[in-house]
Amino acid sequence: MSALQFSNDAFVEAVKKGGREREAAIRWLYLDQDLRAKVGAFVRNNQGNQEDGTDIFHEGILVLDRNIRENRFRGEAPVKGYFFSICRFLWMNRFRKQAKVSLMEPGAAPEQPDEDTPEGVFHREELKEVLRNVLNTLGEQCRKILEMWKLSYSMAEIAASLGMDSDAQARKAKYRCHLGLMQHLDNNPGIAQLLKQWL
Amino acid sequence: MNLELYLPQFEAYTEGTLSPGEREAFDLELASNPEFKEAFSLYQVSLHVMEQQIEDTLRATLKDWEKTHSGADSARTEARIVSFRARLVRYSAAAAVLLLVGVFGLSLVSRNYGNQSLYARYYDDPALGGLRGDPSAPAAGLLEEAKEAYQNQDFALAADKLRAVPQTDPQYPEALYYLGHTYSQTGQYAEAQQAFSQAASAGDSRFSEKSEWYAALSCLRAGEDDAACQDLFDRMAANPDHSFHHQAKEMVRQLGSFWRKISGVFR
């Protein structure tokens, strides 16, 4: 198990900083058995099963990671409380989408994340598909380089991870990949326009 | 559209590395040059595309961690079961003849001479304690991180680090050897066998013989063709200078035993 411990501030800072520190912070949260049990219990108490609980726990981590990196988490509530509120709303939304029953506990959480309507969820899934289609036009190496760059990995780390000889080589590769992605969008104005409207 | 020219400027702008004057000029260009504005909006879309990649990777990582954890839990359960069985065998020695004539007896034989049991008896987890590496070697950092991840039972991360060691690195054979053990920890025995086999033929004498031994064990545990696995043990048993000569001889004896043949009915 991870020996690292994170305070609220340290966790947020690590996620924002990206690279290996983000990785360690997310792993620390992932390994929190109490938090996992709490999310699982909430889901089970609201007609979900253990698998749903695990799924929501994972989805919650994805949302938390992005909200922190995009400065949507203002740090006014403890990270774990905020994470739980994300999971609670994710499960509520999924539940509504499946139109099973309404949940008993719709109370607002501190710094509650944006609530999705079923239409919103559908719209988001469509958007993901379009984004994935664009990603698939890039090679695997380009996807990895751009991902690492966006997560603030250093050029040295990118070079080491991809077996490149130097930072300069990684930098050139990143430039080529990013340019290729933008050129693809430029050459497909329909897709670019669609994404601009959605994003 | 001159994307090649614009891209470095967009990066500098979003990373906040422009001077106040440059930033002002950038904003002015954005307001007055439609092509520049259009290119910048493409740049922003490209960042969203990368976000999707980040999300998909993290989702896959979480699934891997989940699998590793479930795997580790199963392995612990399995270890307890094997241990219990070993004790059961000792305590019920007196009743062995009776048990052997019944279905339960045959099942017990199967468990002791089955692939899983033989593997558990001979497999030794190195815990990566020996993974030190040459601090001056290019891959030293990766090996150190792999060791830490392994010790934290983050086998997916350990495997990533070990796979990242380039083939040209002097520590490549060592990385392959430990990659084999990392796969073993997550129950990926076919992959473990492949990594050990590569380590065995990578030309580092410190790892070649023990890699051969673990490749043969992984072959057995993966449920590969018995004859193919037996051949691997036979070669070591036939070489008195091999470091695992005695263990291989013992294994060959067990693989050819009457009990093993009976256990085959249940495998």
Side-chain angles (χ1 to χ4, degrees):
Chain A
M1 300 299 105
S2 174
L4 286 170
Q5 290 294 325
F6 288 89
S7 64
N8 278 325
D9 290 347
F11 182 84
V12 172
E13 195 184 327
V15 172
K16 279 187 179 171
K17 196 165 182 184
R20 308 217 178 283
E21 289 173 57
R22 166 180 169 271
E23 223 172 271
I26 291 175
R27 179 140 185 94
W28 170 77
L29 189 80
Y30 169 83
L31 289 172
D32 190 318
Q33 294 304 317
D34 292 342
L35 196 56
R36 179 187 282 253
K38 194 175 165 187
V39 172
F42 175 78
V43 170
R44 280 196 306 279
N45 289 338
N46 288 284
Q47 304 198 22
N49 56 30
Q50 194 175 335
E51 202 179 318
D52 294 325
T54 303
D55 199 25
I56 290 293
F57 187 71
H58 288 185
E59 288 297 316
I61 291 176
L62 296 175
V63 174
L64 177 71
D65 170 53
R66 189 156 180 179
N67 283 2
I68 289 178
R69 286 188 295 106
E70 294 183 349
N71 292 319
R72 275 186 266 168
F73 173 60
R74 295 184 295 275
E76 290 161 11
V79 167
K80 288 182 184 177
Y82 177 67
F83 173 74
F84 181 68
S85 77
I86 289 173
C87 293
R88 191 168 56 180
F89 276 87
L90 284 172
W91 179 242
M92 283 167 65
N93 286 334
R94 186 180 295 188
F95 218 50
R96 284 203 194 107
K97 198 173 70 164
Q98 292 167 349
K100 282 182 182 169
V101 294
S102 60
L103 287 178
M104 293 175 292
E105 196 184 2
E111 289 193 64
Q112 89 187 41
D114 294 339
E115 193 175 346
D116 290 322
T117 60
E119 292 77 13
V121 172
F122 177 72
H123 163 95
R124 210 177 49 220
E125 286 309 312
E126 268 190 312
L127 170 63
K128 281 178 197 294
E129 270 317 298
V130 176
L131 290 169
R132 283 187 187 119
N133 287 339
V134 175
L135 278 168
N136 287 337
T137 63
L138 303 170
E140 195 181 333
Q141 191 180 47
C142 272
R143 288 200 296 269
K144 189 76 194 159
I145 289 172
L146 293 177
E147 178 190 354
M148 291 182 82
W149 172 77
K150 183 77 171 60
L151 286 172
S152 309
Y153 280 81
S154 69
M155 285 299 164
E157 285 173 312
I158 295 174
S161 173
L162 295 164
M164 292 173 175
D165 294 334
S166 64
D167 303 9
Q169 200 183 339
R171 194 167 289 107
K172 273 185 201 160
K174 185 265 153 193
Y175 175 76
R176 275 198 309 273
C177 294
H178 201 161
L179 191 62
L181 171 57
M182 288 181 63
Q183 280 167 342
H184 174 78
L185 293 168
D186 192 27
N187 294 334
N188 293 275
I191 292 174
Q193 195 53 37
L194 196 64
L195 290 173
K196 275 187 237 170
Q197 282 169 2
W198 274 349
L199 295 170
Chain B
M1 196 178 291
N2 200 345
L3 295 173
E4 291 182 29
L5 178 71
Y6 297 151
L7 181 54
Q9 296 178 50
F10 295 157
E11 261 183 43
Y13 182 76
T14 48
E15 286 170 6
T17 55
L18 293 179
S19 68
E22 288 169 332
R23 201 169 178 84
E24 201 178 322
F26 185 98
D27 287 334
L28 198 65
E29 188 73 6
L30 207 56
S32 60
N33 181 347
E35 184 186 287
F36 191 76
K37 189 180 173 187
E38 171 61 16
F40 188 58
S41 72
L42 287 183
Y43 177 79
Q44 288 173 313
V45 170
S46 76
L47 298 182
H48 281 286
V49 173
M50 291 175 209
E51 273 299 332
Q52 187 57 48
Q53 172 70 14
I54 291 169
E55 181 184 313
D56 289 346
T57 302
L58 181 53
R59 182 175 278 114
T61 302
L62 292 171
K63 273 190 186 157
D64 271 354
W65 287 350
E66 202 66 38
K67 217 183 297 172
T68 305
H69 276 256
S70 315
D73 288 347
S74 310
R76 278 193 287 276
T77 309
E78 196 172 292
R80 281 197 296 273
I81 290 168
V82 169
S83 163
F84 170 69
R85 283 176 190 144
R87 269 185 281 139
L88 187 63
V89 169
R90 283 200 297 275
Y91 295 148
S92 61
V97 174
L98 289 173
L99 290 171
L100 285 171
V101 294
V103 172
F104 179 69
L106 287 171
S107 166
L108 197 65
V109 168
S110 161
R111 288 164 188 170
N112 277 284
Y113 284 83
N115 292 355
Q116 185 177 326
S117 182
L118 288 173
Y119 174 87
R121 207 176 299 163
Y122 287 98
Y123 178 78
D124 196 10
D125 176 11
L128 267 68
L131 184 59
R132 288 186 191 89
D134 172 9
S136 62
L142 284 170
L143 291 174
E144 197 54 44
E145 285 165 2
K147 180 181 173 182
E148 193 186 337
Y150 191 101
Q151 284 165 347
N152 289 335
Q153 296 192 13
D154 186 352
F155 301 118
L157 180 61
D160 279 349
K161 300 294 174 197
L162 292 166
R163 277 193 300 261
V165 173
Q167 205 166 347
T168 49
D169 193 282
Q171 289 180 297
Y172 182 65
E174 189 173 357
L176 283 173
Y177 172 72
Y178 287 111
L179 181 61
H181 282 294
T182 305
Y183 283 135
S184 304
Q185 293 303 314
T186 52
Q188 295 169 273
Y189 300 108
E191 288 84 347
Q193 185 189 352
Q194 194 184 359
F196 284 131
S197 300
Q198 284 177 302
S201 54
D204 187 331
S205 60
R206 291 172 304 159
F207 298 98
S208 52
E209 291 190 343
K210 52 187 177 186
S211 295
E212 277 178 52
W213 169 246
Y214 284 113
L217 278 180
S218 304
C219 174
L220 197 65
R221 184 65 180 86
E224 296 294 327
D225 172 36
D226 256 16
C229 305
Q230 173 110 30
D231 185 48
L232 298 173
F233 288 113
D234 281 343
R235 272 188 270 164
M236 291 181 274
N239 176 5
D241 295 325
H242 197 285
S243 319
F244 287 83
H245 169 69
H246 294 294
Q247 290 96 320
K249 265 179 75 175
E250 177 80 12
M251 181 64 94
V252 167
R253 190 179 60 74
Q254 297 194 54
L255 289 174
S257 74
F258 169 71
W259 303 118
R260 166 79 178 173
K261 288 187 176 90
I262 289 182
S263 79
V265 175
F266 292 91
R267 269 185 283 128

mmCIF file with all atom_site columns, all heavy atoms in Angstrom, chain A residues 10-25:
data_model
loop_
_atom_site.group_PDB
_atom_site.id
_atom_site.type_symbol
_atom_site.label_atom_id
_atom_site.label_alt_id
_atom_site.label_comp_id
_atom_site.label_asym_id
_atom_site.label_entity_id
_atom_site.label_seq_id
_atom_site.pdbx_PDB_ins_code
_atom_site.Cartn_x
_atom_site.Cartn_y
_atom_site.Cartn_z
_atom_site.occupancy
_atom_site.B_iso_or_equiv
_atom_site.pdbx_formal_charge
_atom_site.auth_seq_id
_atom_site.auth_comp_id
_atom_site.auth_asym_id
_atom_site.auth_atom_id
_atom_site.pdbx_PDB_model_num
ATOM 1   N N   . ALA A 1 10 ? -2.107 19.406 -0.272  1.00 0.00 ? 10 ALA A N   1
ATOM 2   C CA  . ALA A 1 10 ? -1.055 18.642 -0.964  1.00 0.00 ? 10 ALA A CA  1
ATOM 3   C C   . ALA A 1 10 ? -1.652 17.810 -2.090  1.00 0.00 ? 10 ALA A C   1
ATOM 4   O O   . ALA A 1 10 ? -1.065 17.675 -3.165  1.00 0.00 ? 10 ALA A O   1
ATOM 5   C CB  . ALA A 1 10 ? -0.322 17.747 0.028   1.00 0.00 ? 10 ALA A CB  1
ATOM 6   N N   . PHE A 1 11 ? -2.840 17.281 -1.832  1.00 0.00 ? 11 PHE A N   1
ATOM 7   C CA  . PHE A 1 11 ? -3.494 16.460 -2.858  1.00 0.00 ? 11 PHE A CA  1
ATOM 8   C C   . PHE A 1 11 ? -3.817 17.308 -4.089  1.00 0.00 ? 11 PHE A C   1
ATOM 9   O O   . PHE A 1 11 ? -3.504 16.942 -5.215  1.00 0.00 ? 11 PHE A O   1
ATOM 10  C CB  . PHE A 1 11 ? -4.781 15.844 -2.292  1.00 0.00 ? 11 PHE A CB  1
ATOM 11  C CG  . PHE A 1 11 ? -5.498 14.952 -3.256  1.00 0.00 ? 11 PHE A CG  1
ATOM 12  C CD1 . PHE A 1 11 ? -5.133 13.613 -3.392  1.00 0.00 ? 11 PHE A CD1 1
ATOM 13  C CD2 . PHE A 1 11 ? -6.501 15.444 -4.081  1.00 0.00 ? 11 PHE A CD2 1
ATOM 14  C CE1 . PHE A 1 11 ? -5.780 12.792 -4.306  1.00 0.00 ? 11 PHE A CE1 1
ATOM 15  C CE2 . PHE A 1 11 ? -7.149 14.629 -4.992  1.00 0.00 ? 11 PHE A CE2 1
ATOM 16  C CZ  . PHE A 1 11 ? -6.790 13.296 -5.106  1.00 0.00 ? 11 PHE A CZ  1
ATOM 17  N N   . VAL A 1 12 ? -4.438 18.455 -3.831  1.00 0.00 ? 12 VAL A N   1
ATOM 18  C CA  . VAL A 1 12 ? -4.829 19.337 -4.947  1.00 0.00 ? 12 VAL A CA  1
ATOM 19  C C   . VAL A 1 12 ? -3.583 19.797 -5.708  1.00 0.00 ? 12 VAL A C   1
ATOM 20  O O   . VAL A 1 12 ? -3.546 19.784 -6.943  1.00 0.00 ? 12 VAL A O   1
ATOM 21  C CB  . VAL A 1 12 ? -5.628 20.554 -4.410  1.00 0.00 ? 12 VAL A CB  1
ATOM 22  C CG1 . VAL A 1 12 ? -5.876 21.571 -5.510  1.00 0.00 ? 12 VAL A CG1 1
ATOM 23  C CG2 . VAL A 1 12 ? -6.954 20.082 -3.819  1.00 0.00 ? 12 VAL A CG2 1
ATOM 24  N N   . GLU A 1 13 ? -2.565 20.150 -4.955  1.00 0.00 ? 13 GLU A N   1
ATOM 25  C CA  . GLU A 1 13 ? -1.336 20.627 -5.583  1.00 0.00 ? 13 GLU A CA  1
ATOM 26  C C   . GLU A 1 13 ? -0.713 19.527 -6.458  1.00 0.00 ? 13 GLU A C   1
ATOM 27  O O   . GLU A 1 13 ? -0.272 19.786 -7.579  1.00 0.00 ? 13 GLU A O   1
ATOM 28  C CB  . GLU A 1 13 ? -0.357 21.054 -4.486  1.00 0.00 ? 13 GLU A CB  1
ATOM 29  C CG  . GLU A 1 13 ? 0.789  21.896 -5.001  1.00 0.00 ? 13 GLU A CG  1
ATOM 30  C CD  . GLU A 1 13 ? 1.783  22.219 -3.890  1.00 0.00 ? 13 GLU A CD  1
ATOM 31  O OE1 . GLU A 1 13 ? 1.340  22.372 -2.736  1.00 0.00 ? 13 GLU A OE1 1
ATOM 32  O OE2 . GLU A 1 13 ? 2.981  22.262 -4.197  1.00 0.00 ? 13 GLU A OE2 1
ATOM 33  N N   . ALA A 1 14 ? -0.709 18.308 -5.919  1.00 0.00 ? 14 ALA A N   1
ATOM 34  C CA  . ALA A 1 14 ? -0.097 17.189 -6.667  1.00 0.00 ? 14 ALA A CA  1
ATOM 35  C C   . ALA A 1 14 ? -0.864 16.913 -7.955  1.00 0.00 ? 14 ALA A C   1
ATOM 36  O O   . ALA A 1 14 ? -0.263 16.692 -9.012  1.00 0.00 ? 14 ALA A O   1
ATOM 37  C CB  . ALA A 1 14 ? -0.057 15.940 -5.790  1.00 0.00 ? 14 ALA A CB  1
ATOM 38  N N   . VAL A 1 15 ? -2.188 16.948 -7.872  1.00 0.00 ? 15 VAL A N   1
ATOM 39  C CA  . VAL A 1 15 ? -2.994 16.683 -9.083  1.00 0.00 ? 15 VAL A CA  1
ATOM 40  C C   . VAL A 1 15 ? -2.772 17.783 -10.112 1.00 0.00 ? 15 VAL A C   1
ATOM 41  O O   . VAL A 1 15 ? -2.607 17.513 -11.302 1.00 0.00 ? 15 VAL A O   1
ATOM 42  C CB  . VAL A 1 15 ? -4.491 16.547 -8.728  1.00 0.00 ? 15 VAL A CB  1
ATOM 43  C CG1 . VAL A 1 15 ? -5.338 16.472 -9.991  1.00 0.00 ? 15 VAL A CG1 1
ATOM 44  C CG2 . VAL A 1 15 ? -4.720 15.297 -7.884  1.00 0.00 ? 15 VAL A CG2 1
ATOM 45  N N   . LYS A 1 16 ? -2.706 19.022 -9.630  1.00 0.00 ? 16 LYS A N   1
ATOM 46  C CA  . LYS A 1 16 ? -2.508 20.138 -10.563 1.00 0.00 ? 16 LYS A CA  1
ATOM 47  C C   . LYS A 1 16 ? -1.110 20.102 -11.169 1.00 0.00 ? 16 LYS A C   1
ATOM 48  O O   . LYS A 1 16 ? -0.916 20.478 -12.322 1.00 0.00 ? 16 LYS A O   1
ATOM 49  C CB  . LYS A 1 16 ? -2.712 21.468 -9.840  1.00 0.00 ? 16 LYS A CB  1
ATOM 50  C CG  . LYS A 1 16 ? -4.163 21.838 -9.692  1.00 0.00 ? 16 LYS A CG  1
ATOM 51  C CD  . LYS A 1 16 ? -4.288 23.222 -9.121  1.00 0.00 ? 16 LYS A CD  1
ATOM 52  C CE  . LYS A 1 16 ? -5.751 23.606 -8.987  1.00 0.00 ? 16 LYS A CE  1
ATOM 53  N NZ  . LYS A 1 16 ? -5.926 24.838 -8.248  1.00 0.00 ? 16 LYS A NZ  1
ATOM 54  N N   . LYS A 1 17 ? -0.171 19.684 -10.365 1.00 0.00 ? 17 LYS A N   1
ATOM 55  C CA  . LYS A 1 17 ? 1.218  19.659 -10.835 1.00 0.00 ? 17 LYS A CA  1
ATOM 56  C C   . LYS A 1 17 ? 1.377  18.621 -11.944 1.00 0.00 ? 17 LYS A C   1
ATOM 57  O O   . LYS A 1 17 ? 2.201  18.755 -12.842 1.00 0.00 ? 17 LYS A O   1
ATOM 58  C CB  . LYS A 1 17 ? 2.144  19.346 -9.665  1.00 0.00 ? 17 LYS A CB  1
ATOM 59  C CG  . LYS A 1 17 ? 3.591  19.675 -9.949  1.00 0.00 ? 17 LYS A CG  1
ATOM 60  C CD  . LYS A 1 17 ? 4.394  19.705 -8.677  1.00 0.00 ? 17 LYS A CD  1
ATOM 61  C CE  . LYS A 1 17 ? 5.828  20.092 -8.988  1.00 0.00 ? 17 LYS A CE  1
ATOM 62  N NZ  . LYS A 1 17 ? 6.670  20.039 -7.811  1.00 0.00 ? 17 LYS A NZ  1
ATOM 63  N N   . GLY A 1 18 ? 0.574  17.578 -11.873 1.00 0.00 ? 18 GLY A N   1
ATOM 64  C CA  . GLY A 1 18 ? 0.602  16.561 -12.933 1.00 0.00 ? 18 GLY A CA  1
ATOM 65  C C   . GLY A 1 18 ? 1.740  15.576 -12.757 1.00 0.00 ? 18 GLY A C   1
ATOM 66  O O   . GLY A 1 18 ? 2.327  15.466 -11.673 1.00 0.00 ? 18 GLY A O   1
ATOM 67  N N   . GLY A 1 19 ? 2.062  14.890 -13.839 1.00 0.00 ? 19 GLY A N   1
ATOM 68  C CA  . GLY A 1 19 ? 3.164  13.936 -13.829 1.00 0.00 ? 19 GLY A CA  1
ATOM 69  C C   . GLY A 1 19 ? 3.009  12.877 -12.758 1.00 0.00 ? 19 GLY A C   1
ATOM 70  O O   . GLY A 1 19 ? 1.898  12.463 -12.405 1.00 0.00 ? 19 GLY A O   1
ATOM 71  N N   . ARG A 1 20 ? 4.140  12.480 -12.213 1.00 0.00 ? 20 ARG A N   1
ATOM 72  C CA  . ARG A 1 20 ? 4.146  11.377 -11.250 1.00 0.00 ? 20 ARG A CA  1
ATOM 73  C C   . ARG A 1 20 ? 3.448  11.748 -9.943  1.00 0.00 ? 20 ARG A C   1
ATOM 74  O O   . ARG A 1 20 ? 2.936  10.901 -9.233  1.00 0.00 ? 20 ARG A O   1
ATOM 75  C CB  . ARG A 1 20 ? 5.574  10.941 -10.961 1.00 0.00 ? 20 ARG A CB  1
ATOM 76  C CG  . ARG A 1 20 ? 6.343  10.646 -12.221 1.00 0.00 ? 20 ARG A CG  1
ATOM 77  C CD  . ARG A 1 20 ? 7.289  9.484  -12.086 1.00 0.00 ? 20 ARG A CD  1
ATOM 78  N NE  . ARG A 1 20 ? 7.955  9.236  -13.351 1.00 0.00 ? 20 ARG A NE  1
ATOM 79  C CZ  . ARG A 1 20 ? 7.401  8.618  -14.390 1.00 0.00 ? 20 ARG A CZ  1
ATOM 80  N NH1 . ARG A 1 20 ? 6.161  8.186  -14.310 1.00 0.00 ? 20 ARG A NH1 1
ATOM 81  N NH2 . ARG A 1 20 ? 8.074  8.436  -15.516 1.00 0.00 ? 20 ARG A NH2 1
ATOM 82  N N   . GLU A 1 21 ? 3.496  13.041 -9.614  1.00 0.00 ? 21 GLU A N   1
ATOM 83  C CA  . GLU A 1 21 ? 2.858  13.449 -8.355  1.00 0.00 ? 21 GLU A CA  1
ATOM 84  C C   . GLU A 1 21 ? 1.343  13.271 -8.435  1.00 0.00 ? 21 GLU A C   1
ATOM 85  O O   . GLU A 1 21 ? 0.702  12.853 -7.476  1.00 0.00 ? 21 GLU A O   1
ATOM 86  C CB  . GLU A 1 21 ? 3.239  14.892 -8.027  1.00 0.00 ? 21 GLU A CB  1
ATOM 87  C CG  . GLU A 1 21 ? 4.696  14.959 -7.609  1.00 0.00 ? 21 GLU A CG  1
ATOM 88  C CD  . GLU A 1 21 ? 5.190  16.368 -7.427  1.00 0.00 ? 21 GLU A CD  1
ATOM 89  O OE1 . GLU A 1 21 ? 4.597  17.089 -6.625  1.00 0.00 ? 21 GLU A OE1 1
ATOM 90  O OE2 . GLU A 1 21 ? 6.174  16.733 -8.096  1.00 0.00 ? 21 GLU A OE2 1
ATOM 91  N N   . ARG A 1 22 ? 0.785  13.576 -9.598  1.00 0.00 ? 22 ARG A N   1
ATOM 92  C CA  . ARG A 1 22 ? -0.660 13.355 -9.792  1.00 0.00 ? 22 ARG A CA  1
ATOM 93  C C   . ARG A 1 22 ? -0.976 11.872 -9.680  1.00 0.00 ? 22 ARG A C   1
ATOM 94  O O   . ARG A 1 22 ? -1.932 11.463 -9.017  1.00 0.00 ? 22 ARG A O   1
ATOM 95  C CB  . ARG A 1 22 ? -1.068 13.893 -11.168 1.00 0.00 ? 22 ARG A CB  1
ATOM 96  C CG  . ARG A 1 22 ? -2.438 13.436 -11.628 1.00 0.00 ? 22 ARG A CG  1
ATOM 97  C CD  . ARG A 1 22 ? -2.771 14.013 -12.995 1.00 0.00 ? 22 ARG A CD  1
ATOM 98  N NE  . ARG A 1 22 ? -3.948 13.399 -13.573 1.00 0.00 ? 22 ARG A NE  1
ATOM 99  C CZ  . ARG A 1 22 ? -3.926 12.308 -14.340 1.00 0.00 ? 22 ARG A CZ  1
ATOM 100 N NH1 . ARG A 1 22 ? -2.776 11.710 -14.624 1.00 0.00 ? 22 ARG A NH1 1
ATOM 101 N NH2 . ARG A 1 22 ? -5.047 11.827 -14.824 1.00 0.00 ? 22 ARG A NH2 1
ATOM 102 N N   . GLU A 1 23 ? -0.115 11.085 -10.305 1.00 0.00 ? 23 GLU A N   1
ATOM 103 C CA  . GLU A 1 23 ? -0.299 9.629  -10.298 1.00 0.00 ? 23 GLU A CA  1
ATOM 104 C C   . GLU A 1 23 ? -0.342 9.111  -8.850  1.00 0.00 ? 23 GLU A C   1
ATOM 105 O O   . GLU A 1 23 ? -1.218 8.330  -8.481  1.00 0.00 ? 23 GLU A O   1
ATOM 106 C CB  . GLU A 1 23 ? 0.908  9.017  -11.016 1.00 0.00 ? 23 GLU A CB  1
ATOM 107 C CG  . GLU A 1 23 ? 0.613  7.907  -11.979 1.00 0.00 ? 23 GLU A CG  1
ATOM 108 C CD  . GLU A 1 23 ? 1.869  7.549  -12.749 1.00 0.00 ? 23 GLU A CD  1
ATOM 109 O OE1 . GLU A 1 23 ? 2.084  8.177  -13.799 1.00 0.00 ? 23 GLU A OE1 1
ATOM 110 O OE2 . GLU A 1 23 ? 2.638  6.678  -12.308 1.00 0.00 ? 23 GLU A OE2 1
ATOM 111 N N   . ALA A 1 24 ? 0.633  9.579  -8.042  1.00 0.00 ? 24 ALA A N   1
ATOM 112 C CA  . ALA A 1 24 ? 0.724  9.115  -6.649  1.00 0.00 ? 24 ALA A CA  1
ATOM 113 C C   . ALA A 1 24 ? -0.491 9.572  -5.845  1.00 0.00 ? 24 ALA A C   1
ATOM 114 O O   . ALA A 1 24 ? -1.025 8.817  -5.024  1.00 0.00 ? 24 ALA A O   1
ATOM 115 C CB  . ALA A 1 24 ? 2.009  9.642  -6.013  1.00 0.00 ? 24 ALA A CB  1
ATOM 116 N N   . ALA A 1 25 ? -0.937 10.800 -6.095  1.00 0.00 ? 25 ALA A N   1
ATOM 117 C CA  . ALA A 1 25 ? -2.084 11.328 -5.350  1.00 0.00 ? 25 ALA A CA  1
ATOM 118 C C   . ALA A 1 25 ? -3.345 10.523 -5.684  1.00 0.00 ? 25 ALA A C   1
ATOM 119 O O   . ALA A 1 25 ? -4.109 10.151 -4.790  1.00 0.00 ? 25 ALA A O   1
ATOM 120 C CB  . ALA A 1 25 ? -2.287 12.804 -5.683  1.00 0.00 ? 25 ALA A CB  1
#
